[in-house]
Amino acid sequence: MGSTVLTNEPKGGVLYLVATPIGNLGDLSQRAISLLSNVDLIAAEDTRVTLKLLNRFEIKKPLISYHEHNCKMAGEKIINELKVMRSVALVTDAGTPAISDPGEDVVKKCAMEGIDVVAVPGACAAVCALSLSALATARFCFEGFLPTDNSGRKKRLDALKTEDRTMIFYEAPHRLRKTLDSLLQSFGEDRKISLCRELTKLNEEVIRLSLKEAAELFSQREPKGEFVLVVEGAALDELKDDYSSISLDEHLQIYLDQGLSKMDAVKAVAKDRKLPKSEIYSALMVK
């Protein structure tokens, strides 16, 4: 039986998404070190931050900047480099490229151009926080940063009121209090939250509270460091008082996700809404 030989040598014309440490430099994998040492070019969110990382591992490679303010122009440069069969590594200041990051734009461009993209996995703050949260991990959704304007943030959170999966948010320290207040208003005071701060760094901290307790804590305590907020999803009994807030499809999906057959789920929806089963079935089957 033949065996697959894995190599850390980069190939020309390939974009490598290289995850970098979110704090502890010891989390940079040997594969990542090898690829960063051998690619033709490294595209970095902040070249000054990446240069410190490269110097730590004695890596000397050409750097270009690629971030949200220059992603269109820099993205075209990356694509052109790949088209002439140069190998390019994309890195962020910390974590996995293209996750809540403009790297997703250049990945889309590569897909359109038929250019190969390879992920070099490693640290991801969202997954790290989820694993530490002590909340349900089987089903979750990643929401990244909430809108900074009040109306946009309220609209997003209103859409998540009936979300029964565990939710993950990123937040900066200067916006934490406002975000906690918004979460409290939208989800209620009893919903559980895990606040994960400065993950893998010297001052790493995981705080598990209710939303009410979290808002009260940080009204007295100055937030410091970058936060990942892991919020408990809506319980089924939270939805029973007002099913008008969700569509029939969403209502049905709640029961399907619990393992009910479609017919049993239709019966449950009809019972919740105090409507004939045939009416619910007809409305769902029309779609």
Side-chain angles (χ1 to χ4, degrees), residues 230-244:
V230 187
V231 182
E232 182 182 31
L236 185 59
D237 57 8
E238 288 184 53
L239 307 178
K240 286 186 176 178
D241 294 333
D242 184 15
Y243 284 112
S244 63

Side-chain angles (χ1 to χ4, degrees), residues 46-205:
D46 186 328
T47 55
R48 296 165 298 182
V49 172
T50 298
L51 187 59
K52 292 178 182 178
L53 178 68
L54 297 181
N55 287 340
R56 169 66 175 77
F57 292 96
E58 300 181 347
I59 298 171
K60 298 185 183 298
K61 284 293 168 179
L63 287 169
I64 63 168
S65 65
Y66 177 86
H67 48 74
E68 61 177 327
H69 301 298
N70 77 343
C71 59
K72 184 175 181 181
M73 184 183 304
E76 291 175 358
K77 178 174 176 58
I78 291 171
I79 295 296
N80 289 335
E81 293 288 332
L82 293 166
K83 284 182 175 179
V84 295
M85 300 307 291
R86 284 165 60 83
S87 55
V88 181
L90 178 67
V91 299
T92 68
D93 290 348
T96 300
I99 303 299
S100 197
D101 171 78
E104 68 176 297
D105 293 334
V106 77
V107 172
K108 290 176 183 176
K109 289 177 182 177
C110 285
M112 291 173 62
E113 296 282 353
I115 295 171
D116 287 340
V117 181
V118 172
V120 183
C124 176
V127 174
C128 185
L130 178 66
S131 68
L132 293 169
S133 69
L135 296 174
T137 62
R139 297 174 62 246
F140 62 91
C141 63
F142 174 67
E143 289 293 323
F145 289 96
L146 288 167
T148 56
D149 62 292
N150 292 336
S151 61
R153 186 168 58 254
K154 184 179 185 305
K155 184 178 180 181
R156 175 82 66 82
L157 291 176
D158 282 347
L160 292 169
K161 281 184 178 180
T162 58
E163 176 58 67
D164 62 342
R165 294 173 294 178
T166 301
M167 295 168 281
I168 305 171
F169 303 90
Y170 286 163
E171 197 49 277
H174 66 279
R175 289 197 299 265
L176 180 69
R177 286 170 173 163
K178 181 176 286 188
T179 294
L180 288 175
D181 287 340
S182 297
L183 290 170
L184 180 60
Q185 291 171 19
S186 294
F187 298 154
E189 60 184 33
D190 295 328
R191 194 80 71 89
K192 294 177 182 176
I193 181 172
S194 289
L195 301 97
C196 303
R197 184 179 75 87
E198 295 289 88
L199 289 172
T200 79
K201 299 177 183 177
L202 182 63
N203 295 315
E204 175 178 299
E205 183 178 24

